[in-house]
Amino acid sequence: FKFGQYADFAREQIPSESRGFTLTITPPEEPYWRCGFVVAPEDYIYDGRTDVTISQYFLFHIGQGHLNAQGQFDPNLPTGLHYRMYEQEKSEREWPFNSESPVRIHVELDWGEGRVRVVFGDKNVEAALMPAYFRHLYILAWADSQPPCHVAAELRWL
């Protein structure tokens, strides 16, 4: 990606009859990681592509920890679970949340209204999107640190 995220990803076409999906994420032991999903109107994420951003369309992710300017885990920054939503590169801020492990993220897609509702841990958030976004789904996980870590994620369609 353009800003250096070396994300592992899985790509899916969203079934037109789908009401949404559940993404189950098992947090790794590593102190820094991110995992979530992108919904997009086009099939745009490919291995090695660096001309697009991870938050070009709609990105929701959870994570833990933060990196310093040198790309190393910084224990002086917040280390707990948090989430963030981006729509067309914009995000208000990062928010903490509480959840059991694994974290189950339930995503409802309202095709008629173009709304996405995300329920996880102790949170319930929504965004208004263009219904065209409900075409392609990417499940993403990244750590951008050494050694690399793996985040287990499982997708189930509703």
Side-chain angles (χ1 to χ4, degrees):
F1 291 97
K2 196 176 211 175
F3 296 113
Q5 297 98 338
Y6 297 104
D8 288 331
F9 67 93
R11 177 179 29 226
E12 297 276 338
Q13 179 113 13
I14 298 175
S16 59
E17 69 279 0
S18 175
R19 296 181 333 268
F21 57 92
T22 298
L23 182 61
T24 303
I25 300 170
T26 302
E29 295 296 319
E30 283 78 1
Y32 173 84
W33 58 271
R34 304 287 185 264
C35 187
F37 67 92
V38 168
V39 291
E42 65 173 315
D43 188 11
Y44 79 111
I45 296 176
Y46 296 93
D47 281 332
R49 190 164 184 193
T50 59
D51 62 325
V52 297
T53 62
I54 202 166
S55 56
Q56 184 170 327
Y57 293 108
F58 178 81
L59 165 67
F60 173 90
H61 71 76
I62 66 169
Q64 183 172 302
H66 294 85
L67 301 181
N68 61 22
Q70 292 76 38
Q72 302 298 318
F73 172 70
D74 189 338
N76 297 317
L77 295 173
T79 58
L81 285 174
H82 57 268
Y83 73 95
R84 197 161 193 166
M85 289 191 320
Y86 296 82
E87 185 183 355
Q88 297 180 340
E89 313 294 350
K90 296 179 184 94
S91 176
E92 288 182 20
R93 62 174 255 203
E94 179 177 285
W95 299 92
F97 75 97
N98 296 308
S99 178
E100 294 180 6
S101 183
V103 180
R104 285 184 178 73
I105 300 171
H106 302 282
V107 180
E108 298 172 14
L109 303 175
D110 183 335
W111 293 76
E113 296 290 323
R115 296 198 69 74
V116 61
R117 180 174 179 226
V118 185
V119 179
F120 58 102
D122 61 348
K123 300 294 180 191
N124 179 341
V125 297
E126 290 189 18
L129 304 175
M130 295 183 299
Y133 276 40
F134 301 157
R135 289 193 181 132
H136 300 278
L137 172 69
Y138 302 90
I139 307 302
L140 303 150
W142 69 100
D144 300 338
S145 61
Q146 296 297 324
C149 76
H150 298 281
V151 182
E154 178 185 325
L155 172 69
R156 185 175 60 86
W157 293 106
L158 302 177

